[in-house]
């Protein structure tokens, strides 16, 4: 019996197991609306990804041409990261190790010409939001404006002429250290443009994230950047039309 291969991704599984090119194209049409054109990734970026053990994929999302506005190409990078150190390590060392790993990813993204880069929800920590607010995870909360993650990414944004969307666990130091699930938007010049907070908190049985943070008090902000306007959905907000509007 053949040894079971490791599951890498849906795309990888489809490529390996659907032998007919036309059938694969139809499967992708049903899943994604249409098959997307893959971008050619620069060899220098692939070299970084190989050395640092992460994967890069790039696709073209086209839009209908308009008659009165010039076509514009914007490259958006989305990072799905993982924790680096064991969750028993000191929290600052855990966060700094994640910073170091994503710095390599951003370097590869810059080589690909990425204009806007986004991380996953609360990317600087393990996903700890379950049923109770507790140590040590709340120690990873930090200021959205002056905290170590924002400071670290401001320099990278300036250096790469790149807008960065940085979701963190925010400690609101001006309002009694309230915790928020926040995405900080950093401009290509390194300026903090503002922040958006998670608007809708799921409460299902004993799974109640309001033991960590409450709904946003910022509404649904939209940020004007060099590469276009950005509105942010955090997690459960994707179910609500106000966020998309």
């Amino acid at each position: 019996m053949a040894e079971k291969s490791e599951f890498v991704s849906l795309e990888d599984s489809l490529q390996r197991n659907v032998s007919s090119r036309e059938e694969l194209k139809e499967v992708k049409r049903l899943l994604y609306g249409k098959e997307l054109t893959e971008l050619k990734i620069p060899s220098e970026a692939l070299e970084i990804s190989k050395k640092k053990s992460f994967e890069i994929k790039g696709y073209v999302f086209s839009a209908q041409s308009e008659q009165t506005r010039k076509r514009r190409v914007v490259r958006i990078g989305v990072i799905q990261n993982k924790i680096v150190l064991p969750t028993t390590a000191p929290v600052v060392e855990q966060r700094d190790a994640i910073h170091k790993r994503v710095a390599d990813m951003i370097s590869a993204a810059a080589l690909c010409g990425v204009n806007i880069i986004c991380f996953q929800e609360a990317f600087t920590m393990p996903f700890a939001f379950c049923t109770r607010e507790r140590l040590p995870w709340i120690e990873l909360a930090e200021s959205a404006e002056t905290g170590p993650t924002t400071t670290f990414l401001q320099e990278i944004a300036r250096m790469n002429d790149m807008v960065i969307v940085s979701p963190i666990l925010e400690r609101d130091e001006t309002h009694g250290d309230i915790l928020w699930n926040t995405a900080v938007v950093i401009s290509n010049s390194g300026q903090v443009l503002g922040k958006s907070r998670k608007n809708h908190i799921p409460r299902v049985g004993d799974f109640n994230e309001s033991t960590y943070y409450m709904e946003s008090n910022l509404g649904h902000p939209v940020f004007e950047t060099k590469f276009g306007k950005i509105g942010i959905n955090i997690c459960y907000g994707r179910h609500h039309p106000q966020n998309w509007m």
Side-chain angles (χ1 to χ4, degrees), residues 65-83:
S65 298
E66 298 182 24
Q67 296 182 42
T68 58
R69 291 196 296 179
K70 187 178 179 182
R71 186 182 178 204
R72 178 172 58 174
V73 175
V74 178
R75 292 200 170 190
I76 299 172
V78 181
I79 289 180
Q80 180 71 44
N81 192 27
K82 63 181 181 179
I83 59 173

Side-chain angles (χ1 to χ4, degrees), residues 39-59:
L39 287 169
K40 182 174 173 55
I41 305 300
S43 58
E44 300 92 336
L46 291 172
E47 187 61 34
I48 293 174
S49 71
K50 183 178 178 182
K51 191 179 294 185
K52 300 298 182 177
S53 300
F54 60 87
E55 184 181 17
I56 304 178
K57 292 286 186 181
Y59 300 94

